[in-house]
Amino acid sequence: MKFLSSLKGKPPIEELPLLPLRELVLFPNITLSVFVTYKEGMRAIDEALKRDKRLFAACLKFKSVDETYEAGSVVRITQHLKMPDNTFRVVLHGEYRGLIASSAKAEEVSMVRIDPIKPVSNTPLNSEAIALMRAVQSALAQYADCTKKVSTELLVLIEKTESLETLANLSAHALQIKPEQKIEILTSDDPVARLQLILEILELENEVFSVQQNIRGKVKNRIEKSNREYILNEQLKEINRELGKDERTEDFTELEQKIEAKKPRGEALFKARKELVRLQKLHPFTPEAGILRVYLEWILDLPWNEFTADSGDLAEAERILNEDHFNMRKAKERILEFIAVRKLLSLENEQAGIKGSILCFVGSPGTGKTSLGKSVARALGRRFVRFSLGGVRDEAEIRGHRKTYVGALPGKIIQYMSRAGTINPVFLLDEIDKIAVNDVRGDPAAALLEVLDPEQNSNFMDHYMEVPYDLSQVLFIATANSLHTIPYPLLDRMEIIEIPGYGDNEKLAIAQHFLIPKELSENGLGQADITFKDEAVQDIIQYWTMESGVRSLEREIARCIRRIAQEAVNQEYGKDPEKPIGSFQKLVDREDVEKLMGRRKYKEDVVFKEAQIGISYGLAWTSTGGTVLPIETVRFDGSGEVTLTGNLGDVMKESAQIGVSYLRSIQEQYNFLVQDVGKTDFHIHIPEGAIPKDGPSAGVALAASLLSSLCQKPPKPGIAITGELTLTGRILPIGGLKEKVLAAIRNGMKQVLIPLDNKDDWAELEVDITSAIEVAFVENAVDAFSLLFDVDSQKSPEQQGRRFRRHKKPENSGETSNESGRKM
């Protein structure tokens, strides 16, 4: 206990009976009436009355029956009254403070020896002490005003006292605090310290009470506001009853007027009226009433007759499409055709009944399929909504849930139509090839069949709406990276428009006109004078990207421009008033690109610089663009087995078997270094075994690799070949021609051999692509082998008379195309 150690050892002055008190601490200068009902206290009072009516009053410790604190006050009994049950009511007056020095039992009465606690005698009543006294008096007055538990007489005594010790005793008695805190105040022998402790307690109590009052006020205001609103609503209801009006009737009337004004088509209007009648019969707080109300709101939110007039200005539409996207001729032509047909029909009827088309843009990532959909909406003057189908696994995402389920909603088709606000928006179904098929929660792809069928979508039925909705005026545009994962019934309902990859010249034009200005603006250099030389951009395309689209190119250009922005900041452009950002100039050339971008990502080609025996180069199409396919073959003496490695699919394995069989059939025409191909084992490997590979277009390349191994003669370097091989040696056409040719150009090929049937596809390619590489059209494997190995087989005179034509672009064919050859 505080200050107790300093008082130990003093000689006891008085021996008095001990009066234990429950949760009560008596201070000197205080007169207090106390009821004593327990035996220990009654015995102490009896003993004191026999003596000089003086006791030592000490507070019992928490949860203790007989153990008291050592500190207490010597008190005198000024009045006493003994009750019939031997209990006492006594009036006690505190004389001075003390500590129990020792205790002893005498005839069942606890007697204690007291060491008095004497206050420090040399405490001056200076200005600081007076200020402290006034602060305590003021805080105590505020405390009394808040608690309403301090008597007026006590407050008067506190205001009039001029003694530090007396003020401390009176103030401590007035506080409604725990006994432990009062004991701490009682024990101290320094009046100033006692008053400082009391002031701290008072300030804390006053602050807590202020916060409590604030909280009570806020709660009271909320309750009063709620009560006031309730009373006003009840009064309003009563007034409406007196006037013959009903709030629910007005609400239903308003709903009915909105339904009639919206004019839902056919069955929807009948359904809305029916559900409104049901809603009127239900109590407003039933769950079914809430469900019906939300259902009617969905009907009102949907566009039933609102539409936007299509732009009939073909020149303006073409300008918009060209402004937003470079090239893409066939896709743009199809959009312009749609606008032209719409314009002709609108001459007969302002709201012509042309059915919405379903287009599907297919191409590598980053070729601008999604942004082209937005441009189509802009060119047509229609609203645009986009629904991403990637990862959709639940059929209810398309058709919605029955409205009887908790939290049911319409499907995404209806939700996005509500968001569009018209019956003829451009509706983009993004990543349709990523949708789940035959999932345990249903088949979303099957649910789309009705949406994308022009003969059925005029009566699209959503599970939640339960009424037909007309989607025939919507222009649906789907996007996909590959058609292989799209179910055939769904694919059959769409018009496929291929968005091929970009050539280097196309990427250069896109970068200079679109990407660089965009990234300069987004990186705070829109006002600076920064120019990229063409050769610098070409280096970025060639050495830092390997793609058909421009998404990686945009990232690399952004990285380069961020480095330039860092240079501008380091040179204090934009910070110094004399060096505004608009005055920053930089001409980025090939050397600057090396410094800004660091080491090149793509240094080496995947092809060998020199010819290698048993290695040929095929061309493959992937969802990310074209790629060169090195094919390696080695042979061993054996029993005619063919080992295939490199994660090959069944179709490619069959192509290898066809190649072996074909070479066995023409063994007499070539100088094989083995006597019997049927007794030779082959191991065919295509590198990058972690990537699955499949398709028939590598058939002739596989046969060329086998022939090189059998003859031990390498094919000419820098030649790639593509085409499906048959058992009779015919080379069939392939798809994805543009992507494959671009891959050959990217990897440094000098010549490409393609099937003769793809000649028309070659004629549609851009001039910059056809001029970048030589091409030879081959009709059969013998033609291809003659060009690859520069030798003729032992052919008949008629066959030897056939020569191969290296194709050159006609000078008058200047048209460009973004459409690749047909797919396999």
Side-chain angles (χ1 to χ4, degrees), residues 310 338 341-342 345 351-357 382 472-474:
D310 288 343
F338 177 85
V341 172
R342 185 75 183 185
L345 289 173
Q351 188 176 351
I354 183 175
K355 293 183 178 179
S357 302
R382 295 189 180 191
S472 62
Q473 300 295 317
V474 179

Side-chain angles (χ1 to χ4, degrees), residues 279-300:
L279 180 60
Q280 291 173 339
K281 297 177 181 179
L282 294 173
H283 191 277
F285 297 108
T286 59
E288 189 177 1
I291 293 172
L292 290 178
R293 181 61 184 251
V294 173
Y295 175 77
L296 290 173
E297 288 176 355
W298 271 108
I299 287 183
L300 293 174

Side-chain angles (χ1 to χ4, degrees), residues 387-453:
F387 176 24
S388 179
L389 291 169
V392 172
R393 297 179 175 274
D394 194 348
E395 179 188 353
E397 291 284 335
I398 308 297
R399 289 185 173 274
H401 294 86
R402 304 284 181 189
K403 64 175 181 287
T404 52
Y405 291 106
V406 177
L409 285 172
K412 293 294 186 182
I413 301 296
I414 294 295
Q415 290 185 37
Y416 281 106
M417 288 301 296
S418 174
R419 188 177 302 177
T422 64
I423 61 173
N424 63 338
V426 173
F427 201 124
L428 185 73
L429 299 172
D430 212 4
E431 307 292 353
I432 197 170
D433 57 326
K434 311 293 191 305
I435 193 170
V437 180
N438 295 325
D439 193 80
V440 293
R441 287 164 288 190
D443 190 349
L448 281 175
L449 293 177
E450 183 183 2
V451 176
L452 299 182
D453 191 340

Side-chain angles (χ1 to χ4, degrees), residues 106-122:
E107 298 180 358
E108 298 185 347
V109 177
S110 295
M111 302 298 293
V112 293
R113 291 180 178 272
I114 308 303
D115 277 339
I117 300 175
K118 297 181 179 180
V120 178
S121 58
N122 58 354

